[in-house]
Amino acid sequence: MQMASRGNEGELQKPQSVGPTSAAQALPVQVLVVSNWDGSAMVYFLHKARPSRRSDYTSQRSLRGGGGGRDAMAESLPLEMLTYILSFLPLPDQKEASLVNRAWYYAAQNAFREANVRYNIPVSSASLPGIKNLGRRGISHVSLTNLDGSPASHQVLQFIAYHLGPNLQSLCLSECCPTEASFVALILGCPALRILDLSGCNSLFTSGTLLSQPEIAQRVQQALSRLQELNLGGLRDLVDLSFNRLSSCAPHLQHLSLAFCQLTFEQGPTHGSISPSGSSPSQLSFNNLLKFVRERAGRLQSLNLSGTDLPPQALQALSQVAGLRLQKLSLHNCRDLSTEAVAALCRQQSGLTSLDLSGCSELADEALLAVCRGLRRLQHLGLRKLQRLTDAGCTALGALRELQSLDMGECCLVSGQELAQALSSVHGAPPPMTSLILAYCSSLKDTSMQSLIPALGLSLRVLDLSSCMALTSQTLQAICTCLTHLSVLRLAWCKKLHDWGLLGLEEPREETAQGPQNTGCHWADVQAAPDARCSYVPRYQHGCGQALPSPAAPGDLHPVPLRGRS
């Protein structure tokens, strides 16, 4: 059993503060948490009432050398109280606290459990004990792999529904092949489910009979009454009838993904219009999706229609739905979209905070200008593989004052000069950008990067300059000097970089007796350690496939001090 992903490292999900009517008033102890100057914390238990005779006996026994008094006091606290107390401790201290006794172990497990931690569970009989253990810890995010219609898979699903189901909030069945009966039984055991990922589960929709019985559909609707996010991406057998049955069981749905589904579009009698028609029993039609969006307009927040070949008329019809206020929209690889459709989207859905137009090859500078004019609240913008995008379209990016991540990878005509001027001309603080991807932008030069890097600010954490062949060590030196809070730096196949640039040093004026060092190296996925900013370089490659000369043993990693820093 593996822990697949972790979000913000070290951040703890704090429960709500204990109010005056909590269980603490009924306990014979008071809890005092003292924070030290270095960020650590100490937990003290203070008696507030005279113990009973039995407690007095155990206390006297503990004074004689036994540990029963402390254990009894610790075990008398409810699990929620212990979890709240231990949530103030850093992770190393929580691990030490988990060794006190069984109650503290489960409390510590719950304390450093995070909302964005997902556990990958391989479907096999060997996973059954681990599932029971995870059930005691109350985990809420699970992803299953290798799921099919075998008896072993059926047994694993029963264990998950019984041990994990009551607390399960996120369930991922991506690329799995469950049977309809086992899927329904699993869903009925997960009444708190909020996120459901069925991408690639074609076996559920091949027959077209999923949730066809009204009594089963009603029970599933009760189980999915809290569902907010549904992923149906990559389902080749999804049709209108199956979509309507499943979506009707989730009345509070807010996020929907139909990425790379085979949507069909019917043209009306008027050229370029979408004809109104009923649901299709043999295909997934845009008209049925448009009907669903109109019914859920007041609640729907995000749509993912990537890879559906959405035409311009369909996007305009979607953006004009009355009452629809989208926050996130992904249109990745919709190659037929036009600038006029994007402009209409920006006028109608001005509250968008995330927009992905990567791979929309027909879009050019006018589309980006329309985005900058109409979407002032935008925080995440994807423009990857827009081959017609030039520097002229980057002039208005400074108007996006809340922009946090920008992906302009493989935009070969973007040199970065206008982007630097747009960010530098912002009055006041620059946008709080944390991620900038300029990979495969072959027009990037040292001069434009040296103007762009100071304008990015100290909030930048991720910078991708992979395969920017024209960049030299001067750019790398500017990165080491200005972007001191950078955590991830990708420089794969930048062949003009040298060691002195990576170390933040000035260019050597004279050749040493040994000749130039490392003139043909490329750096792949240079990633700094979380607490070391850009001072640590954990992984690198040499251009000739040989290790760089170092007195340390192979594989050893050491901090590299930057010039000008203590």
Side-chain angles (χ1 to χ4, degrees):
M1 197 170 302
Q2 301 174 352
M3 188 167 61
S5 63
R6 176 176 284 262
N8 298 329
E9 192 67 21
E11 292 185 2
L12 302 177
Q13 299 295 328
K14 299 291 190 302
Q16 296 294 329
S17 59
V18 180
T21 59
S22 64
Q25 292 182 345
L27 297 174
V29 295
Q30 285 184 338
V31 180
L32 178 62
V33 181
V34 180
S35 299
N36 299 326
W37 63 272
D38 57 353
S40 61
M42 296 295 293
V43 181
Y44 298 91
F45 295 94
L46 307 176
H47 284 275
K48 71 174 184 178
R50 184 177 180 180
S52 62
R53 295 181 179 178
R54 184 175 181 181
S55 301
D56 193 12
Y57 168 76
T58 55
S59 300
Q60 293 177 2
R61 180 184 176 186
S62 65
L63 292 177
R64 292 195 299 267
R70 291 192 302 270
D71 292 344
M73 181 180 64
E75 292 181 355
S76 64
L77 293 174
L79 181 62
E80 293 78 7
M81 177 66 73
L82 283 175
T83 299
Y84 177 74
I85 296 170
L86 297 182
S87 65
F88 290 94
L89 301 178
L91 288 178
D93 294 342
Q94 290 182 23
K95 294 179 181 178
E96 294 293 334
S98 66
L99 302 178
V100 174
N101 53 29
R102 184 183 298 271
W104 281 50
Y105 172 77
Y106 291 133
Q109 298 294 332
N110 289 333
F112 65 76
R113 181 190 63 195
E114 300 180 9
N116 53 358
V117 175
R118 176 184 294 175
Y119 292 84
N120 283 341
I121 301 179
V123 177
S124 66
S125 57
S127 301
L128 299 181
I131 294 174
K132 294 178 64 176
N133 184 29
L134 291 177
R136 298 189 190 102
R137 295 165 54 179
I139 67 153
S140 56
H141 302 274
V142 165
S143 176
L144 302 182
T145 57
N146 304 325
L147 180 63
D148 52 22
S150 62
S153 297
H154 183 67
Q155 186 179 13
V156 169
L157 292 182
Q158 287 181 337
F159 265 63
I160 290 177
Y162 181 77
H163 295 284
L164 305 180
N167 298 319
L168 205 60
Q169 297 184 10
S170 174
L171 177 62
C172 178
L173 302 177
S174 180
E175 303 298 332
C176 292
C177 300
T179 62
E180 296 181 11
S182 61
F183 169 74
V184 171
L186 176 62
I187 294 300
L188 293 179
C190 304
L193 206 60
R194 297 180 181 273
I195 302 175
L196 180 60
D197 187 353
L198 299 178
S199 57
C201 296
N202 292 287
S203 61
L204 288 176
F205 302 92
T206 301
S207 63
T209 60
L210 181 65
L211 304 178
S212 58
Q213 300 180 10
E215 59 275 7
I216 295 180
Q218 185 177 2
R219 295 175 60 190
V220 171
Q221 182 177 2
Q222 294 177 356
L224 298 180
S225 59
R226 302 181 182 180
L227 192 68
Q228 298 179 358
E229 182 174 344
L230 180 61
N231 188 351
L232 301 176
L235 296 178
R236 60 176 181 271
D237 297 324
L238 183 64
V239 297
D240 289 346
L241 193 58
S242 301
F243 174 78
N244 293 341
R245 290 172 181 168
L246 185 57
S247 61
S248 63
C249 294
H252 299 93
L253 199 62
Q254 299 178 3
H255 311 278
L256 176 63
S257 175
L258 294 174
F260 298 96
C261 289
Q262 298 180 1
L263 272 176
T264 59
F265 306 92
E266 297 180 3
Q267 299 294 335
T270 305
H271 180 70
S273 62
I274 302 296
S275 64
S277 61
S279 302
S280 173
S282 60
Q283 59 187 2
L284 183 64
S285 63
F286 175 77
N287 296 292
N288 186 73
L289 174 62
L290 190 61
K291 179 182 177 182
F292 167 81
V293 173
R294 288 169 178 168
E295 294 174 353
R296 308 288 184 93
R299 191 178 296 273
L300 204 59
Q301 296 181 8
S302 70
L303 275 176
N304 188 349
L305 300 177
S306 301
T308 57
D309 295 330
L310 195 71
Q313 300 81 11
L315 180 59
Q316 293 181 9
L318 187 65
S319 61
Q320 294 173 1
V321 172
L324 182 63
R325 296 293 181 267
L326 289 177
Q327 297 181 7
K328 299 180 181 180
L329 180 61
S330 180
L331 301 173
H332 177 78
N333 216 27
C334 293
R335 300 184 178 89
D336 297 332
L337 292 183
S338 62
T339 300
E340 293 76 12
V342 173
L345 172 68
C346 297
R347 289 192 300 267
Q348 300 293 334
Q349 302 295 325
S350 58
L352 280 171
T353 60
S354 177
L355 179 62
D356 189 0
L357 299 174
S358 302
C360 301
S361 54
E362 295 297 322
L363 301 182
D365 297 333
E366 293 77 9
L368 181 54
L369 294 176
V371 169
C372 296
R373 287 193 299 264
L375 305 179
R376 296 302 179 92
R377 300 179 182 178
L378 203 62
Q379 298 178 4
H380 308 279
L381 179 59
L383 303 171
R384 198 178 188 91
K385 291 185 179 181
L386 298 189
Q387 304 292 340
R388 302 173 60 182
L389 187 65
T390 66
D391 286 335
C394 302
T395 55
L397 281 173
L400 303 178
R401 301 298 302 273
E402 301 180 12
L403 190 63
Q404 298 180 9
S405 65
L406 176 62
D407 186 356
M408 301 184 69
E410 301 184 56
C411 296
C412 301
L413 301 181
V414 175
S415 66
Q417 192 66 39
E418 295 296 334
L419 177 60
Q421 294 181 2
L423 297 180
S424 301
S425 61
V426 176
H427 298 287
M433 192 174 298
T434 59
S435 176
L436 177 61
I437 299 178
L438 297 173
Y440 299 93
C441 293
S442 55
S443 299
L444 284 180
K445 308 295 182 182
D446 283 337
T447 55
S448 59
M449 286 303 302
Q450 290 176 0
S451 302
L452 175 62
I453 289 172
L456 294 176
L458 296 178
S459 61
L460 194 69
R461 296 294 183 268
V462 179
L463 179 61
D464 191 351
L465 299 175
S466 303
S467 296
C468 296
M469 302 292 188
L471 298 183
T472 66
S473 295
Q474 296 180 358
T475 296
L476 190 55
Q477 183 182 13
I479 292 174
C480 295
T481 303
C482 300
L483 304 179
T484 56
H485 290 71
L486 201 64
S487 299
V488 178
L489 175 60
R490 296 187 175 94
L491 298 170
W493 295 103
C494 294
K495 298 183 177 181
K496 295 184 178 181
L497 302 184
H498 298 76
D499 288 343
W500 58 265
L502 185 65
L503 299 178
L505 304 176
E506 296 181 355
E507 182 177 4
R509 298 181 180 179
E510 297 180 358
E511 297 288 347
T512 61
Q514 298 176 350
Q517 296 182 1
N518 199 28
T519 56
C521 70
H522 67 272
W523 304 88
D525 289 347
V526 181
Q527 182 168 347
D531 295 326
R533 306 297 188 263
C534 272
S535 302
Y536 288 78
V537 183
R539 184 161 61 94
Y540 52 83
Q541 295 178 352
H542 191 269
C544 302
Q546 302 175 354
L548 296 177
S550 174
D556 290 348
L557 300 177
H558 301 281
V560 181
L562 298 180
R563 181 175 62 87
R565 294 182 58 188
S566 57

